[in-house]
Amino acid sequence: MSVATQAIDGKAFAERLRQRIADHVPSVEHRLGRKPGLAVVLVGDHPASDVYVRNKAKQTVEVGMASFKHALPADTSEADLLSLIETLNHDNAVDGILVQLPLPKHINEAAVLAAINPTKDVDGFHVINAGKLATGQSGFVPCTPLGCLMLLKDVIDDLSGLEAVVIGRSNIVGKPMAQLLLAENCTVTMAHSRTKNLSAVVKRADIVVAAVGRAEMVEGAWIKPGATVIDVGINRVDAPEQGVHKTRLVGDVDFASCQGIAGAITPVPGGVGPMTIACLLANTLTAACRHAGLPDPIV
Ligand code: GUN
């Protein structure tokens, strides 16, 4: 039997979240005597990173916060980057610090992430924050999985006891996503590129989170009827049907083949993507509240 599949509108959800953040900013600004501030550090000229960083800065200002952008040349030494982070750690106008990844190969990413003051680590990548998430303490949760959880909770009243399969085991998405679902009392399976019989594993799931980075890998035939599918993938593929040299964005899930099977699914674009920056702003507001001695915002 075919079900009507709901397309989860992450763009609209993210807009509402940004509005709630913007509504909350003035009271925090009043308490701090300054705007909440986010510093974004970009090293080199990775084209996709450049777009992300520009969008982050634009949306930070739109919700009434201060944006500090530090664009460093590709040949910046690790020592110079660490020195900038130390300056930002001590800068009272900065509540959140984000170092855009990937970094150039000569820089040790783990050392850089470890240098960020965990109370300003709005990306949630510091091992202290990863450890807090894994042990049920309040820290900062990485933005993309946090956005995925918000969308899931909007669609599903009670996640408790549901079977969740996370495909992909990155530190940025897969691992924190699994921790968040576990904290919601889901029965969590982490699948990845070496998982045997992946289609059968996915077929068990009431919730599927696909974060593998392989275009349209998850097929509708793998999905349990009525399941909720969250597609984190953003893959650019050729689109000859739209003309020569044309490309389009697709997720890790074959969206079309899930229609009539999934209960709800995030589209690409317009699903998880817009949630990431909105959650970064939410984390920055939380950092500012903590620095001001205010309770965590409920946004
Ligand atoms: N590169 C791709 N996604 C992210 C992200 O969420 N945070 C940072 N810092 N870099 C990224």
Side-chain angles (χ1 to χ4, degrees), residues 37-40 95-99 116-126 129 140-143 146 276 279-288 291:
L38 172 65
V40 175
D95 297 291
I97 302 170
L98 177 146
V99 177
I116 298 172
N117 179 340
T119 72
K120 296 191 175 187
D121 173 36
V122 286
D123 248 336
F125 293 166
H126 194 289
N129 284 316
F140 286 106
V141 175
C143 306
L146 182 58
T276 298
C279 287
L280 171 68
L281 302 177
N283 280 351
T284 304
L285 183 65
T286 299
H291 290 146

Side-chain angles (χ1 to χ4, degrees), residues 49 52 56 98-102 123 125 143-144 172 276:
S49 292
Y52 286 141
K56 283 170 186 171
L98 177 146
V99 177
Q100 186 66 29
L101 305 178
D123 248 336
F125 293 166
C143 306
T144 299
I172 293 181
T276 298

Side-chain angles (χ1 to χ4, degrees), residues 13 30 45 56 66 87 103 109 129 165 184 230 248 258 274 278 288:
F13 192 104
H30 181 73
D45 37 27
K56 283 170 186 171
T87 304
L103 287 167
E109 202 167 280
N129 284 316
V165 171
E184 295 292 331
I230 303 292
R248 64 190 172 98
C258 292

Side-chain angles (χ1 to χ4, degrees), residues 238-258:
D238 290 336
E241 72 283 359
Q242 293 177 20
V244 275
H245 306 310
K246 292 284 185 193
T247 60
R248 64 190 172 98
L249 288 181
V250 299
D252 291 349
V253 180
D254 180 6
F255 187 83
S257 69
C258 292

